[in-house]
Amino acid sequence: MTATEKYAAEDQRAMMSTITGFWVSQLTATLAHLEIAEHLHDGPKTAARIAELAGSDPHATFRLLRAAVDPGLVSHEPETDCFASTSLLDRLRASAPDSLRNVALVWNAPLHWQAWGRFTECVRTGENQVSSAVGRSTFDFLAENPVEADQFSRAMAELSTPTIREAVVAIEAGPGTTIVDVGGATGAFVLGMLAEHPGTEGLVLDLPHVTAAAEREIAARGMQERCRAVPGDFFEAVPEADLFLVKFVLHDWGDDACIRVLRQCRQAMRPGARVVVVDMVTGTPDDPGTAALMDLNMLAIAPGAREHDLADFDRFFAAAGLVRTATTELSPPYCVLEAEAV
C-alpha cells in the first residue's frame, strides 16, 4: 500500500466513524435506559444474565453489548463469555461520581433528537426547527412533559458538576451573603456555594414546573434551613440578593433576552452586590474548541440561542448597567465572569 493509499484508507475509516456517530449515540442511550452500568457494577456477566436483569431480549442484548466493545463502553472476556464494565461505562451509572446518564438520555430523547434530525434546514434558514419537530417551542415542550423536564434539569446538573466544583472555589462569598441561583434548575450551583461558604443562604429561582426537582435536591443535601426554591420567571423579576449566579443561562436566549435577564439582576442588587456569569466562552475560528459544537446544539434547539465570546458578554453587561470586574478561567471552554453595578 502506497502512502497515498494509506492516508485515503485512514480518511475513509475516519469519515465512516463520523457518519455513524449517531449510531453510537443511540447505543449509549440504550445502555443508559437498560441500566447496563448498574447491572455490571458488581462484576462481569453473560449477555443472557444481563438481559434477564434488564428485561430485554437476550439475542438483541448480546448484539448491543458486542457493538459496545469497540467504543470502549464494555469489554468482553472470552474465557467466560462475559461482558464487563469499563471506566467509560461507569459514567452511565446514576450514582457514579460525575455521572452523565441523564445527559445520554436527554440528548437522545425526542426534543434534541428530532430537532437535530432537521439540522440542515436549520442552517439553511438560520432558525431552529424544534416547533416542526415536536409541535411547540423547547421550553413549552418541557413544561408539558414533566418527566423529560425533570430529566433535562438533572442532565444540566450533571454537565455542570465539574464546572461547579471549580467555580465555587473561585467565587468569594462571606457569611451573611444571600445567593440567588438564577434559572438554577435543581440548584446544584447554589448548593455547592453554600457547602463551600459557611454562613451563606441561598435561593433557587426557576419556573414552577422545575422547582419540585430543586426542592428534592435541597432536601437530599439537608440544606432546607439555608436554601429554598422560588418559582418565578427571571425575565419578570429576580429576588433581592448579594450575589446572583447566572450559570448556563444566557446561551439559551437571544441578545435582547440576555440583557433583560441581567437587568432584572441589576434591579435586585443590594449595595455591593455582584452578578456572576458562568458559561462557555467561544474561541477564535482557528481554535474554536468544544464551544463551537455546543453552539450548533443551541442553534438546533432554541430561537436566538448561541454561545458567546467576551465581547458579547461585555456588551450585555453594559446594556444592563453592569461592568465586568473579574474573569477567572476554568477548564476550557468555561469562565467565571464577575460584574458589578456601574
Side-chain angles (χ1 to χ4, degrees):
M1 180 182 290
T2 66
T4 299
E5 290 171 335
K6 177 183 176 183
Y7 291 135
E10 290 176 353
D11 286 344
Q12 182 79 358
R13 286 192 295 271
M15 181 53 72
M16 281 300 297
S17 178
T18 299
I19 291 169
T20 59
F22 78 97
W23 296 358
V24 180
S25 295
Q26 286 294 343
L27 179 157
T28 304
T30 300
L31 293 173
H33 277 294
L34 297 179
E35 300 184 342
I36 302 299
E38 280 80 4
H39 299 322
L40 290 178
H41 185 56
D42 61 353
K45 295 179 177 65
T46 64
R49 176 56 178 154
I50 295 168
E52 182 182 353
L53 293 169
S56 54
D57 177 81
H59 186 56
T61 301
F62 168 78
R63 295 167 68 181
L64 169 73
L65 293 166
R66 181 179 59 185
V69 171
D70 189 60
L73 288 159
V74 299
S75 63
H76 181 252
E77 301 177 352
E79 301 83 5
T80 60
D81 197 24
C82 287
F83 291 92
S85 183
T86 64
S87 59
L88 187 60
L89 180 70
D90 201 55
R91 291 298 179 97
L92 295 181
R93 189 165 54 87
S95 60
D98 293 345
S99 171
L100 292 172
R101 181 176 185 272
N102 285 292
V103 177
L105 295 174
V106 166
W107 282 356
N108 290 284
L111 177 62
H112 282 76
W113 186 253
Q114 293 182 33
W116 270 94
R118 293 163 171 77
F119 190 68
T120 301
E121 188 64 19
C122 182
V123 174
R124 281 197 178 114
T125 64
E127 298 179 357
N128 83 91
Q129 302 297 307
V130 171
S131 292
S132 62
V134 296
R136 55 192 66 78
S137 72
T138 296
F139 293 107
D140 285 345
F141 177 87
L142 292 174
E144 296 171 17
N145 293 271
V147 173
E148 191 164 340
D150 182 59
Q151 202 169 65
F152 182 86
S153 294
R154 292 182 183 279
M156 294 306 99
E158 288 176 352
L159 282 175
S160 302
T161 296
T163 304
I164 289 172
R165 194 160 48 230
E166 294 182 76
V168 297
V169 178
I171 302 168
E172 295 183 4
T177 300
T178 299
I179 307 170
V180 176
D181 201 344
V182 180
T186 62
F189 196 2
V190 70
L191 289 168
M193 287 290 294
L194 299 187
E196 180 70 22
H197 303 283
T200 55
E201 296 183 349
L203 300 170
V204 183
L205 174 70
D206 216 315
L207 296 171
H209 71 272
V210 178
T211 51
E215 289 168 350
R216 288 194 297 271
E217 189 65 22
I218 292 167
R221 300 201 194 190
M223 288 283 190
Q224 301 95 318
E225 298 299 317
R226 295 176 59 194
C227 189
R228 60 189 176 89
V230 179
D233 183 343
F234 51 51
F235 289 124
E236 301 301 327
V238 172
E240 180 182 287
D242 306 293
L243 183 61
F244 300 84
L245 307 177
V246 186
K247 174 186 61 63
F248 302 176
V249 169
L250 299 184
H251 71 167
D252 286 333
W253 307 97
D255 291 6
D256 290 345
C258 291
I259 293 167
R260 188 173 175 184
V261 172
L262 294 173
R263 280 178 177 163
Q264 292 300 334
C265 293
R266 172 66 183 87
Q267 291 178 12
M269 294 173 76
R270 294 171 179 168
R274 292 170 294 149
V275 175
V276 176
V277 172
V278 177
D279 226 323
M280 288 187 175
V281 176
T282 55
T284 58
D286 58 307
D287 186 21
T290 55
L293 192 56
M294 180 61 79
D295 183 56
L296 292 188
N297 187 52
M298 305 316 298
L299 176 61
I301 68 168
R306 64 186 177 94
E307 303 300 336
H308 302 101
D309 59 22
L310 279 177
D312 291 325
F313 286 114
D314 285 341
R315 181 164 49 84
F316 299 156
F317 288 143
L322 301 164
V323 61
R324 177 161 57 99
T325 55
T327 302
T328 303
E329 293 187 1
L330 306 177
S331 295
Y334 297 102
C335 285
V336 174
L337 310 177
E338 299 193 30
E340 298 178 357
V342 176

